[in-house]
Amino acid sequence: MPTAVSLFSGCGGSDLGIVNAGFDVLMANDKLAYARDLYLHNHPETDYKLSDVSLIEHFPKAELLVGCYPCQGFSQGGVREPDRKINTLYLEFARALKQIRPKAFIVENVAGMVRKNFRHLLEDQISVFTALGYTVKAEVLNAAHFGVAQERKRIFIVGIRNDFDFEYKFPSPSHGVEDTPPFVSIRDALQGLPEWPEGEFYARDFHWYYLSRDRRRNWDEVSKTIVANSRHMPLHPMSPKLIKLEHNVWRFETEERARRFSYREAAKLQGFQNIEFPDTKSGSMDMRYTVIGNAVPPPLFEAVVRNIPDIWS
C-alpha cells in the first residue's frame, strides 16, 4: 500500500479521497481542534499533529504529499488581499516537499487563485515546486463533474518527480457531460435524511443580503457551493422559492418554512458518505459547519489521485 503525508488536512476530505484510492495516510496536520477531533473519530489510525505546520520539524517519508493550505487570501468570500501572510503558506508545503521528496504531490485551493491579481502567487508556487525537481501542472476542476452534488470549482496543482519522466494529465469529467451519467443531484445526495433535523442547522433569520444572493437550488439540481460560514449556508430545497422585488430586495414566494442545509447535509453534499460527528468541547454547531465547508470533496480528490500514473510500486 503506497503511503501519504497530509498537511493542512482539516477534517479529512482530501485524506478520505486518498484512502479510497488505496493509500495509507501516515500523518495529517491542522490547527483547528474540532477538525482533528472529527478526523480521528472517523480515521483513528492516522497520526494527527494538532499544530501550526511551521512548528513541525520532521515529516515521515512517504510516496505522496498532499496539502490544502488555507485560502482566505484568495477566496471570493475572503478578504482577498494579495500580500496577506496566509497567501505564502505554500512555502511551508515546499519545506515539507524538499524534506520528504515524495514521488508526487497534490495541492488544492480555491479557483480564485487564477485571478489576475493573484496570478503571480500561483506562478510563484509552480516555480518553487518546479525548482525542487517536479514536473508541475495546474487546472481548475468542478466537483460536480466528479459525482459531487455541488457546484464547487477548485484549482489543483499536481507535481510528479522529474526522475519518473511523466507529465500529469487531469481526469476527464465522470458526470454531467456527453456520454457520462448525469450530475448527482441534491435529492440523490440527501436521500433518506430527515426533512427537519432540529438542532443540526443554523436557525436564525435570513438577512436581506443573504436573500439577495438567491442561495436556493431545486431538488434535482446540484447545490450551490457549500461554505464554511453557517449564516451563508445554501437553502434546503424544501424552502420556498425566492423572488426578486427590486435590486438587492428578495423575498420568499410563500410563507412556508425555510431553512439552511444542516451540517450533516452539508457533509453529504461535499461527498462524505458515512461521516460521524463526535460531541467534543470544540464541536460547536458553527465549528461543524466550518470544518465541513473548508473540506475538499473526497470524490474529487480521489479522481485527481487516481489519475497519477502508476509510479507507486
Side-chain angles (χ1 to χ4, degrees):
M1 182 179 291
T3 57
V5 167
S6 171
L7 304 179
F8 311 98
S9 314
C11 69
S14 60
D15 296 15
L16 179 55
I18 295 169
V19 169
N20 289 343
F23 284 75
D24 179 17
V25 181
L26 302 179
M27 191 200 90
N29 148 257
D30 206 276
K31 289 169 55 175
L32 286 178
Y34 192 68
R36 183 271 316 271
D37 295 345
L38 183 56
Y39 187 116
L40 290 180
H41 185 79
N42 291 276
H43 303 283
E45 66 283 353
T46 301
D47 179 19
Y48 198 108
K49 307 291 188 186
L50 184 65
S51 170
D52 186 315
V53 70
S54 66
L55 301 178
I56 301 175
E57 295 183 4
H58 302 288
F59 304 93
K61 290 295 183 181
E63 291 153 295
L64 177 66
L65 174 65
V66 304
C68 310
Y69 24 85
C71 59
Q72 291 91 332
F74 309 108
S75 174
Q76 184 68 27
V79 178
R80 287 184 284 166
E81 294 176 353
D83 59 349
R84 291 186 72 200
K85 183 179 179 181
I86 203 168
N87 292 342
T88 58
L89 285 174
Y90 64 87
L91 296 176
E92 290 295 337
F93 184 85
R95 178 174 66 89
L97 186 65
K98 183 177 181 179
Q99 184 183 127
I100 299 170
R101 291 288 296 160
K103 295 178 180 180
F105 74 84
I106 303 173
V107 165
E108 180 267 359
N109 215 305
V110 293
M113 195 186 290
V114 302
R115 284 197 292 265
K116 184 177 180 180
N117 55 330
F118 294 123
R119 187 77 197 186
H120 67 288
L121 291 168
L122 173 59
E123 291 171 352
D124 191 54
Q125 290 172 74
I126 294 173
S127 176
V128 167
F129 301 149
T130 299
L132 289 174
Y134 290 83
T135 302
V136 183
K137 293 291 183 179
E139 190 167 312
V140 174
L141 302 177
N142 188 342
H145 284 137
F146 298 92
V148 179
Q150 174 196 172
E151 190 175 275
R152 189 183 191 89
K153 294 180 179 179
R154 291 294 186 269
I155 189 169
F156 284 83
I157 306 171
V158 181
I160 298 177
R161 210 170 63 204
N162 287 343
D163 52 302
F164 289 101
D165 197 27
F166 280 119
E167 189 172 280
Y168 182 78
K169 292 184 179 180
F170 284 90
S172 300
S174 61
H175 291 71
V177 298
E178 188 176 357
D179 297 327
T180 68
F183 289 127
V184 176
S185 68
I186 297 173
R187 187 190 308 278
D188 295 331
L190 302 189
Q191 189 172 11
L193 293 182
E195 187 176 82
W196 207 261
E198 294 290 354
E200 293 191 358
F201 61 89
Y202 185 84
R204 296 186 183 178
D205 291 340
F206 303 102
H207 191 271
W208 68 265
Y209 180 81
Y210 176 94
L211 295 178
S212 73
R213 289 9 252 171
D214 191 13
R215 291 179 165 91
R216 183 188 178 278
R217 290 278 176 87
N218 292 324
W219 279 106
D220 294 318
E221 296 180 286
V222 296
S223 171
K224 288 201 168 188
T225 301
I226 297 301
V227 296
N229 187 319
S230 55
R231 290 186 304 155
H232 297 298
M233 183 61 52
L235 282 165
H236 191 285
M238 64 165 285
S239 307
K241 292 181 179 179
L242 284 159
I243 55 175
K244 183 177 181 179
L245 303 180
E246 55 185 277
H247 178 65
N248 278 343
V249 179
W250 293 63
R251 67 169 173 79
F252 289 110
E253 192 173 44
T254 71
E255 296 296 322
E256 293 175 85
R257 299 173 85 185
R259 70 169 177 88
R260 300 164 178 85
F261 287 122
S262 70
Y263 60 81
R264 196 178 307 277
E265 290 163 341
K268 289 283 191 180
L269 294 168
Q270 282 275 55
F272 289 93
Q273 295 304 314
N274 300 302
I275 193 168
E276 295 181 1
F277 291 85
D279 292 321
T280 66
K281 187 181 295 186
S282 61
S284 66
M285 182 185 295
D286 281 347
M287 185 53 66
R288 294 181 186 209
Y289 273 118
T290 294
V291 298
I292 288 298
N294 282 334
V296 187
L300 175 58
F301 211 92
E302 180 182 353
V304 174
V305 175
R306 287 189 181 278
N307 240 45
I308 296 175
D310 186 11
I311 57 177
W312 312 118
S313 57

